[in-house]
Amino acid sequence: MTGRGTTPGAAAVRARLWDGPTRIVHWGLVVLIAFAWWAGEAGRMDWHRWAGYAVLGLLAFRLIWGFAGSATARFASFVRGPAATLAYLRTLPRRAPSAVPGHNPLGAWSVLVILAVLIVQTVTGLFAVDVDGIESGPLSDRVSFDLGRQFAHWHHLTFWALEALVALHVAAVAFYLIYKRSNLVGPMVSGHGQFAQDPGLSFAPLWRAVLAAAVAVGIAWWAAKGFRV
């Protein structure tokens, strides 16, 4: 539930919807989370950790971009209160797609929940210790062995929660495509959507994305070093 796509018979204008940084973060998280899971299952904990640091960098960037990015990426532009969300829920039985250019109120909360779970997933991994005390996160020396094992447990639990959220997200995308006749994936790939008229969205300049990326890389690098210089 991440944005409006093609609306048969109603869309007359193709306009820009998602900027490059937002799409890179979205698909980057998809690839890195899958890779981190595979690396963990395969026992390649070095790759698992590096994937985790990359995820941390993308999350840091997305949080910055949520305040300094383009119109459809800013939290203030799409996060709505309970009343607006309930009002949108009542429209779900209708086959007409959402008229909101970007995240609808329900999709907005989905985005926030997934980001929150990913943050918990990543932070717990920084403190996690395996049962032998050999493989551990860069901040594991800041906590006791027992607490490090507890962080590892939380790390696993949040991954299960993430799996459930991803399954729900995929189901929602399928629902919008089949029932609401709205393609949400296409615009997240191309950056453009179909509208009855140009929504006139504003987009952040490239220099702002470069600056946000530099800060995010610095945070991820510092975390990988255990927040030591």
Side-chain angles (χ1 to χ4, degrees):
M1 296 175 289
T2 58
R4 185 179 176 184
T6 303
T7 309
V13 177
R14 186 172 187 267
R16 193 178 178 194
L17 177 60
W18 302 111
D19 60 24
T22 301
R23 289 180 285 133
I24 290 172
V25 169
H26 181 276
W27 296 114
L29 287 174
V30 171
V31 172
L32 286 168
I33 291 167
F35 179 79
W37 170 81
W38 171 83
E41 291 295 309
R44 298 304 304 264
M45 297 308 297
D46 49 346
W47 292 0
H48 181 82
R49 282 193 298 273
W50 282 109
Y53 300 146
V55 168
L56 177 60
L58 288 180
L59 290 174
F61 178 89
R62 186 62 186 91
L63 291 179
I64 297 170
W65 207 239
F67 296 97
S70 303
T72 49
R74 293 195 179 207
F75 300 129
S77 72
F78 62 79
V79 176
R80 297 291 180 264
T85 304
L86 288 174
Y88 180 78
L89 275 171
R90 298 189 190 100
T91 71
L92 284 182
R94 305 173 194 166
R95 299 208 68 181
S98 169
V100 179
H103 298 296
N104 61 59
L106 190 59
W109 286 106
S110 173
V111 169
L112 292 184
V113 171
I114 290 175
L115 287 176
V117 170
L118 280 173
I119 290 171
V120 174
Q121 169 79 12
T122 306
V123 171
T124 54
L126 295 176
F127 291 91
V129 179
D130 75 349
V131 67
D132 298 319
I134 299 174
E135 296 290 350
S136 56
L139 298 180
S140 59
D141 60 340
R142 311 292 179 87
V143 297
S144 66
F145 175 81
D146 289 339
L147 185 54
R149 291 297 300 143
Q150 187 62 55
F151 272 111
H153 178 64
W154 292 331
H155 190 62
H156 287 293
L157 286 181
T158 51
F159 184 73
W160 294 342
L162 182 62
E163 286 182 306
L165 289 171
V166 168
L168 181 62
H169 187 74
V170 172
V173 170
F175 168 77
Y176 272 77
L177 179 63
I178 297 169
Y179 184 76
K180 303 282 276 183
R181 295 169 293 185
S182 182
N183 180 3
L184 306 183
V185 177
M188 190 55 73
V189 173
S190 68
H192 291 76
Q194 300 288 344
F195 303 92
Q197 60 182 17
D198 192 335
L201 300 170
S202 61
F203 293 89
L206 179 61
W207 67 264
R208 199 179 296 172
V210 172
L211 181 59
V215 173
V217 168
I219 291 172
W221 177 84
W222 196 23
K225 296 294 184 180
F227 292 122
R228 297 180 177 87
V229 178

